[in-house]
Amino acid sequence: MSDAMPEHPHDYGSVVLALRGAGCVFAEDEARMLVSAAPTPAALAEMVGRRAAGEPLEHVVGWAEFCGRRWSVGPGVFVPRRRTEFLVGLACEAAPPGAVVLDLCCGVGAVGAAVVARLEPTAELYAADIAPEAVRYARRNVAPLGGEVFEGDLYEPLPRELRGRVDILVSNAPYVPTDEIGLLPPEARDHEPLTALDGGADGMELQRRVAAEAPRWLAPGGRLLVETSARQAPGTADSFRRAGLETTVLESEEWCATVVVGRRA
């Protein structure tokens, strides 16, 4: 903790000094968020201490901004990344009226929920994640949109009647190779669960599993959209093609993001 932080910070200026001393690049913006979120000076002191010690700002304030909305997050869960807004936009463009949307490896549920929030009220939302803590937050985020969240490994916990009905399947499955986890920023590797980061030896193990089963769950003409890296995109696309999906790789310079899209014939 920085020496510049008073024992009980209670104003914007002192919080800015504390965050600058801790090395926070966007100290002014973060200070405004912390001051706004803290109900008391004592709570603010505790929150500033957590942030100065390296905890993600979103975990500290209890929400993350994504696609123009605030989504509930907290310690021990993956924080939605802004680049994934590219995936959300593509999913919305592809969604038919009354779309059935499925979010696999949903984390706190922000991706699927953001898609459905942009669609008309008749869209259906289902989500699943293997991590109990993520599921707890996902239910908070998905429930207001009338969606359901299931706990388990990929498709395993989903109701069988959903097979062949999914129009839009989004999956921001972890795609960091195991040996590269140590290269991630401390905020991620020290505070987010390994299950939300580790994509296996080449980073594509979960993507391959998602793609292999997708045709059984997609409706005719339904699409699978998966975020990946530019480096891994050819391998991700190959797993889509082997599953029998018509495959396209899309990139965005604006979002620094790559998404592979597969369509069931």
Side-chain angles (χ1 to χ4, degrees):
M1 189 177 300
S2 167
D3 291 338
M5 187 174 67
E7 184 178 358
H8 298 292
H10 59 277
D11 63 273
Y12 171 77
S14 62
V15 174
V16 170
L17 289 176
L19 297 179
R20 284 178 180 167
C24 296
V25 177
F26 303 104
E28 291 81 3
D29 292 338
E30 294 193 10
R32 279 189 285 270
M33 290 175 63
L34 289 166
V35 170
S36 176
T40 65
L44 179 58
E46 187 265 342
M47 294 169 70
V48 172
R50 289 168 59 192
R51 179 60 183 140
E55 191 170 343
L57 178 67
E58 294 84 357
H59 286 179
V60 176
V61 299
W63 56 269
E65 184 175 346
F66 180 75
C67 290
R69 290 175 173 243
R70 290 185 179 184
W71 307 96
S72 179
V73 302
V77 300
F78 182 83
V79 176
R81 309 298 201 250
R82 295 297 298 274
R83 64 175 173 269
T84 308
E85 295 189 17
F86 179 53
L87 185 155
V88 170
L90 293 173
C92 291
E93 291 173 6
V100 175
V101 178
L102 172 60
D103 185 357
L104 283 188
C105 300
C106 72
V108 300
V111 176
V115 172
V116 169
R118 291 186 182 180
L119 302 178
E120 75 286 337
T122 56
E124 297 179 38
L125 174 59
Y126 303 88
D129 199 279
I130 198 170
E133 189 68 5
V135 167
R136 184 167 70 87
Y137 281 98
R139 286 178 174 146
R140 293 185 193 174
N141 292 320
V142 165
L145 296 163
E148 295 184 68
V149 183
F150 302 89
E151 182 181 332
D153 185 29
L154 298 183
Y155 301 94
E156 184 276 329
L158 297 174
R160 301 300 99 175
E161 56 267 28
L162 196 57
R163 285 186 175 181
R165 293 189 57 232
V166 177
D167 299 299
I168 298 294
L169 200 172
V170 291
S171 181
N172 189 19
Y175 56 90
V176 180
T178 302
D179 290 345
E180 296 179 20
I181 296 293
L183 303 178
L184 293 173
E187 287 187 14
R189 67 172 187 262
D190 294 340
H191 296 278
E192 293 179 325
L194 189 61
T195 54
L197 303 172
D198 191 348
D202 62 359
M204 293 180 281
E205 288 184 11
L206 280 165
Q207 293 179 349
R208 283 191 287 269
R209 291 180 58 204
V210 169
E213 292 290 322
R216 299 180 185 179
W217 296 84
L218 290 172
R223 287 172 170 80
L224 166 65
L225 301 94
V226 172
E227 180 178 292
T228 191
S229 69
R231 180 185 69 180
Q232 293 161 309
T236 306
D238 182 63
S239 68
F240 279 42
R241 295 188 187 99
R242 282 188 280 111
L245 300 173
E246 300 172 2
T247 303
T248 306
V249 177
L250 300 171
E251 297 182 323
S252 169
E253 291 186 7
E254 176 187 0
W255 294 106
C256 297
T258 302
V259 172
V260 178
V261 181
R263 179 183 179 275
R264 180 190 162 190

